[in-house]
Amino acid sequence: MNADLLSRFHGVIPAGGVGTRLWPLSRASAPKFLHDLTGSGSTLIRATYDRLVPLAGERIMVVTGRAHRGAVVSQLPELCDEDLVLEPEPRDSAAAIGLAAAILYRRDPNIIMGSFAADQVIEPVEVFQAALSEAIHTAATGKIVTIGIHPTHPSTGFGYIRTGEPLDVPNAPTARGVVEFVEKPDEDTARKYLASGGFFWNAGMFVAPVSLMLKHLESNEPELYAGLVKIADAWETGRRDQVMREVWPGLPKIAIDYAVAEPAAAAGDVAVIPGVFNWDDVGDFAAIGRLNKASAEEGIINLGDKQVRVYADNATGVVYSDRPRVIALVGIEDVVVVDTADALLVTTKEHAQRVKQTVERLKEQGREDVL
């Protein structure tokens, strides 16, 4: 890659979202990106950071909740204070990514940013980095670029990207235009998308010139844009915290897809690079089973303290415990057991998606103490 172009690239890692389907392992105080859920020895946010380093070097910014400052700094000790953006409260992805863009624009209007969520599992890393290189070259031509995921099944849980014609970008042979972003479909529609071959999953990966990102944000969400610029203007001054406290809570809550990506696609400003790597957003405990293949072959995946002794007799599943004791599973298939000091979850992989409903009911009952 051209050295001058590479020097313009900055990584951004939005680290938000509780991961309610992974409760009680993932909670508001310790969301899923702070955990090693793959058995790799690396937490999700650490792995995300390391994937970006070969292209971004130390030019990486993390946007996360104020409550997670200590954990994030502990896991990413090389992160400098100016590149750690702490949200007083969640305001959705347009505010998080837009603020990163506004801060970077103040540093250098020619920066190309790449935003990648902290809680995704990607391999092989080299294939992802090759796609990112194509995305950077394409963004440099004046496009907001998304890396689309090849769909492996007719998922109703993801939005889709409808592709257009090849763009003929030097050093980005797979770049194509984007016709539109499509909302999560029903199963019949998803099957048609797969059959047509012209659709990718939208994984929320965006690479773009910060100036173009802000241009679309200003056009479509002027109130949000104005607030973010006000914060960015104070970012590297002594008024940073004061302005953040004053402005952030009043910002509109909207996803980056609605605020920028969809209207930019309608204007012909969006491109896609196909991602042919393996990708998983670790949405539930069934996903953990898929991602820990070696342990799964042994029957039981033990995510917790290795002092926890798991005894399995004709049993399979996922076990997490943060207390050193014996957990015995007898004659039960695909069980999920999550044992913490104040909450115990017992379910199956088949019903893993329903954990979110349990969290919602606990919230309705005012049980915020265990969430």
Side-chain angles (χ1 to χ4, degrees), residues 269-310:
D269 280 350
V270 181
V272 62
I273 302 295
V276 294
F277 43 80
N278 297 321
W279 172 87
D280 203 303
D281 67 347
V282 204
D284 58 25
F285 286 105
I288 289 175
R290 293 194 302 271
L291 294 167
N292 289 264
K293 296 182 181 67
S295 298
E297 290 171 3
E298 300 167 6
I300 297 294
I301 297 166
N302 184 1
L303 290 176
D305 189 327
K306 297 312 174 188
Q307 295 183 55
V308 176
R309 288 168 291 164
V310 180

